[in-house]
Amino acid sequence: MSSYLVLARKYRPKQFSDIVGQQSVVRTLVNAIQLKRTHQAYVFSGSRGIGKTSIARIFSKALRCPNVIERDGLLVSCDACSDCHEIASGTSVNVLEIDGASNNGVENVREIRENAKFLPSSGQYKIYIIDEVHMLSNQAFNALLKTLEEPPEHVVFIFATTESHKIPETILGRCQRFDFKRVTVAQIVERVTQVLNSEKIEFEPAALSLIARAAEGSMRDALSILDQVISFSGMRVSAIAVRDSIGLIGTELVLSLLTAVLERNAVPALSTLQTAFNQGVDLRALLKALIEMTHALLLLKAGVTEPETPFNSDEIASLRRLLDRRELEELELIFQVYHHGLDLLSRAPQPKLVFDMLVIKTALAEALIRTGGSGDVKPTEVPRRNPVTESRPIQQATPTPAPVATATVVAAPPAAAPAAANIQSSAPAGLGFDFRATLSTPSTKTEPSTAVRSPVSTGGKTWEGMIQFATAARPVLGILLESVVEWTLPNGPEDKFRLGFRMKDRTKADQLQQKAMKDQFLLLTENYLGFKAQPEVFFSEIQSESLAEKAEREDREQQENTMKRILSHEVVQEASSLFGARLTQVEVVKRNS
Ligand SMILES: Nc1ncnc2c1ncn2[C@@H]1O[C@H](COP(=O)(O)OP(=O)(O)OP(=O)(O)O)[C@@H](O)[C@H]1O
Ligand SMILES: [Mg+2]
Ligand SMILES: [Zn+2]
């Protein structure tokens, strides 16, 4: 760690001209001095390691150095006088650097106020640089405010902060504020190149862009990473050395993982992940990289020809080859699954399980669909590709959501959590790591069996189709229609739509005839059949079960079935014999319902 600060300190900018980026800040400060219109209080805000402290010191030198000159439109201090020396080393009595985090009390601010009354020991300005100023207590801010209301002529305050939103408006209102920008990848590469050249260290250009990306906009971080790489790899900075020393994820790894996922090859995807895991790859970093790559893919898919991404042209070319594997919408959902997964991954006691789930979900989920539950689905938005899997289960024809078992003797693993959010998929059965998955009942897909009678169809329109349509667009109406036991589809607008309810479903029949519901029904027929069909409600003699009852019964049967399977499941049996536990309570909850 001894070299940790070396480069960042050795290459601390001494003059405005050494500053990378932050042009408008530099410009404004230089102008102010030149025009003798400096403010009495400044706020320098922005993320870590982007030049706030450096510029505060350079500005102080420019204000105090008696030998300051102008060169190329910028001010240059002499770096030879005692002022310049003392400011650079932080020992000046006229430029005081105060750490706001450790001097955050009201008494500290009072001390500053007392001290500020005295004239500088020499020169014109006395400058207070208060770092991490957002750490001041409320009382301290109040005390500070008093000073800012009537500051002594000779005083300049510079408040540096990474969290300007924590500074009271009253304070901000009395300061000139500069929002420092993150340093760009190109700027970091340029600066790091200079540093390496003056250090006479060889490097691969690819290595520098890796460092710049990893630094996430912080110049200090970039130089610290560089230190680390140098101490790790000696006098040659290669891309491999950068990856190895800071655990960066190789693009090839991410690419092969994503390719397998997009091609729905779960097994190779999982084994790629396993290999990476065995090699000690940081899963969070890997998932972040996966997100980054999915994002790039989305941009390409959306038609952006030269997306602003961290990938080089070869990598982009590889991504282009993947474009036809999935629809834009699927890519969006995959992106969301990973994004959401990042949070889960960070909190999970066994992150690898979560990652496995994410991979399976994105590789295998047959229909990644939104479950909004809004009744406002327009007819054109009713999924066409696979209506059977994409609507609320109404009967056997539809895969019933896998029941999820939570037994008191066996804790459900966190891995099952990604099922949340807005993604729905069939349970990945048989992979042996997800207790829920191994217990889930495989979904059954059979041809729609007409539960009741009169499967009249008009131009390919069916009663089942109509119910699915209704369920997607108007769930309440859909539920009402599920109670119909007898029906006749109309052939045209002159025909009535006959709907038979059993006597015991009288209330539902009544509901359907109320104006609002009837209007919805008319709209539904218009959208589904192509014409408005008036409902004609009657009471049917048919006593067979309705679709609603059938769905209910099947649910019940499935739950009972699941319960039996849990009791005979080897995990439960093993738990019983291991701990002498007995299954006392089984709760079967329905996922995605
Ligand atoms: N804009 C920049 N141009 C050149 N070097 C920079 C720049 N910003 C930061 N550095 C490098 O990073 C080191 C730390 O910068 P500095 O202390 O000015 O950052 P800061 O913004 O005050 O960060 P913090 O919020 O962590 O205090 C400097 O010594 C220098 O090596
Ligand atoms: Mg600083
Ligand atoms: Zn000087």
Side-chain angles (χ1 to χ4, degrees):
M1 246 10 200
S2 65
S3 66
Y4 183 70
L5 278 173
V6 170
L7 291 176
R9 229 187 242 162
K10 187 166 171 188
Y11 291 90
R12 181 183 280 288
K14 292 191 175 67
Q15 301 292 345
F16 284 121
S17 56
D18 299 331
I19 295 286
V20 177
Q22 320 301 359
Q23 279 102 347
S24 67
V25 180
V26 168
R27 190 71 274 142
T28 314
L29 291 174
V30 169
N31 283 347
I33 299 178
Q34 285 169 332
L35 300 169
K36 302 201 186 318
R37 300 186 60 155
T38 47
H39 278 248
Q40 288 209 277
Y42 293 93
V43 168
F44 288 1
S45 69
S47 53
R48 297 165 359 89
I50 58 177
K52 299 183 298 295
T53 303
S54 304
I55 291 184
R57 288 189 189 162
I58 294 169
F59 182 53
S60 306
K61 284 198 298 181
L63 281 174
R64 288 197 48 90
C65 172
N67 313 316
V68 69
I69 57 160
E70 204 184 302
R71 191 189 299 148
D72 302 329
L74 295 177
L75 295 171
V76 183
S77 52
C78 75
D79 279 335
C81 69
S82 57
D83 264 307
C84 284
H85 277 301
E86 287 167 12
I87 294 170
S89 61
T91 53
S92 170
V93 290
N94 298 309
V95 178
L96 295 128
E97 283 192 39
I98 298 151
D99 173 23
S102 49
N103 300 283
N104 64 349
V106 63
E107 64 289 354
N108 301 112
V109 173
R110 289 212 184 105
E111 209 174 293
I112 294 172
R113 271 172 68 189
E114 284 308 308
N115 182 293
K117 285 179 189 158
F118 302 105
L119 288 174
S121 63
S122 69
Q124 197 184 341
Y125 294 105
K126 197 161 186 174
I127 301 158
Y128 294 85
I129 301 173
I130 306 186
D131 230 323
E132 311 245 27
V133 71
H134 60 270
M135 301 292 280
L136 294 193
S137 69
N138 281 341
Q139 276 182 317
F141 272 127
N142 284 336
L144 188 60
L145 188 60
K146 290 213 184 87
T147 316
L148 291 180
E149 276 162 356
E150 282 171 41
E153 277 287 305
H154 57 271
V155 167
V156 175
F157 284 105
I158 301 173
F159 305 126
T161 178
T162 47
E163 295 175 63
S164 60
H165 58 275
K166 291 188 181 158
I167 303 176
E169 282 297 325
T170 45
I171 301 274
L172 288 176
R174 300 195 169 268
C175 302
Q176 179 168 25
R177 182 168 166 183
F178 291 108
D179 290 319
F180 282 53
K181 304 251 177 331
R182 280 174 193 267
V183 189
T184 66
V185 168
Q187 287 166 336
I188 293 180
V189 168
E190 200 186 315
R191 179 70 167 175
V192 170
T193 305
Q194 284 171 7
V195 169
L196 286 170
N197 284 337
S198 24
E199 293 287 314
K200 301 200 170 33
I201 294 176
E202 283 181 44
F203 60 88
E204 287 175 10
L208 303 202
S209 52
L210 286 177
I211 292 175
R213 275 165 55 192
E216 295 185 329
S218 164
M219 188 66 90
R220 186 200 292 110
D221 286 1
L223 294 177
S224 305
I225 293 170
L226 186 59
D227 266 325
Q228 211 175 315
V229 176
I230 292 170
S231 64
F232 178 86
S233 70
M235 296 304 271
R236 192 180 145 73
V237 175
S238 66
I240 291 181
V242 173
R243 283 192 175 130
D244 287 352
S245 65
I246 60 176
L248 268 188
I249 307 297
T251 308
E252 316 80 57
L253 165 64
V254 190
L255 193 61
S256 67
L257 183 53
L258 189 62
T259 304
V261 163
L262 296 180
E263 291 177 344
R264 302 175 197 278
N265 291 326
V267 177
L270 288 169
S271 76
T272 303
L273 176 59
Q274 186 66 50
T275 310
F277 182 66
N278 294 345
Q279 287 167 354
V281 165
D282 175 35
L283 291 182
R284 225 183 113 75
L286 178 58
L287 186 53
K288 273 190 177 169
L290 206 51
I291 291 171
E292 211 168 34
M293 192 173 276
T294 312
H295 174 248
L297 203 58
L298 267 165
L299 293 181
L300 290 172
K301 188 87 180 178
V304 181
T305 45
E306 280 177 27
E308 175 82 18
T309 70
F311 303 105
N312 64 32
S313 51
D314 287 347
E315 292 158 353
I316 291 287
S318 309
L319 286 180
R320 279 191 199 284
R321 285 194 283 277
L322 292 175
L323 281 183
D324 61 351
R325 302 295 196 281
R326 301 287 188 114
E327 298 298 320
L328 179 69
E329 221 193 8
E330 280 178 291
L331 290 177
E332 270 169 22
L333 291 166
I334 289 172
F335 179 84
Q336 283 182 26
V337 171
Y338 291 151
H339 216 268
H340 177 71
L342 198 55
D343 194 37
L344 294 168
L345 196 76
S346 316
R347 287 183 282 124
Q350 288 171 287
K352 171 69 166 38
L353 298 190
V354 174
F355 212 140
D356 280 342
M357 274 304 285
L358 297 176
V359 165
I360 291 166
K361 192 166 272 292
T362 48
L364 291 188
E366 212 169 284
L368 286 165
I369 58 160
R370 279 176 237 273
T371 56
S374 121
D376 277 322
V377 182
K378 284 192 225 86
T380 49
E381 288 170 10
V382 172
R384 267 153 295 154
R385 219 176 323 150
N386 193 355
V388 172
T389 52
E390 297 184 0
S391 71
R392 210 171 69 83
I394 50 166
Q395 59 171 12
Q396 212 175 357
T398 316
T400 321
V404 170
T406 325
T408 43
V409 281
V410 191
N422 39 17
I423 303 304
Q424 183 179 351
S425 77
S426 45
L431 279 139
F433 62 85
D434 182 357
F435 184 51
R436 294 180 177 211
T438 53
L439 289 172
S440 68
T441 317
S443 36
T444 43
K445 249 190 213 164
T446 56
E447 282 309 305
S449 67
T450 313
V452 215
R453 41 175 255 194
S454 330
V456 185
S457 98
T458 317
K461 308 292 181 184
T462 62
W463 174 245
E464 285 84 0
M466 165 121 169
I467 289 202
Q468 274 175 9
F469 196 89
T471 306
R474 299 278 169 218
V476 177
L477 183 59
I479 290 167
L480 287 185
L481 294 181
E482 277 179 29
S483 293
V484 168
V485 288
E486 196 179 357
W487 62 85
T488 316
L489 291 183
N491 287 312
E494 62 290 342
D495 277 351
K496 293 265 159 103
F497 201 138
R498 286 175 46 80
L499 300 163
F501 287 83
R502 285 164 311 183
M503 240 357 228
K504 62 179 188 157
D505 289 324
R506 219 173 16 243
T507 45
K508 288 186 174 143
D510 287 343
Q511 251 178 301
L512 187 62
Q513 294 181 94
Q514 276 160 18
K515 180 158 186 329
M517 206 46 82
K518 204 165 157 178
D519 287 347
Q520 278 194 14
F521 185 83
L522 290 177
L523 201 65
L524 175 71
T525 54
E526 183 172 36
N527 286 327
Y528 184 68
L529 300 172
F531 54 85
K532 277 192 177 136
Q534 294 289 337
E536 184 179 85
V537 172
F538 66 99
F539 289 106
S540 167
E541 296 303 322
I542 291 176
Q543 289 308 317
S544 66
E545 65 181 352
S546 67
L547 288 181
E549 284 168 341
K550 183 168 184 198
E552 224 168 77
R553 175 174 56 77
E554 282 171 353
D555 273 355
R556 206 171 44 242
E557 283 170 2
Q558 199 171 39
Q559 293 207 356
E560 284 163 7
N561 209 0
T562 307
M563 200 107 96
K564 276 193 209 131
R565 296 181 57 194
I566 292 169
L567 291 171
S568 61
H569 193 277
E570 55 177 87
V571 175
V572 176
Q573 303 241 312
E574 210 173 311
S576 313
S577 63
L578 258 179
F579 306 114
R582 234 162 36 93
L583 200 59
T584 52
Q585 186 199 340
V586 174
E587 188 191 346
V588 180
V589 289
K590 216 168 156 186
R591 183 154 53 179
N592 292 332
S593 54

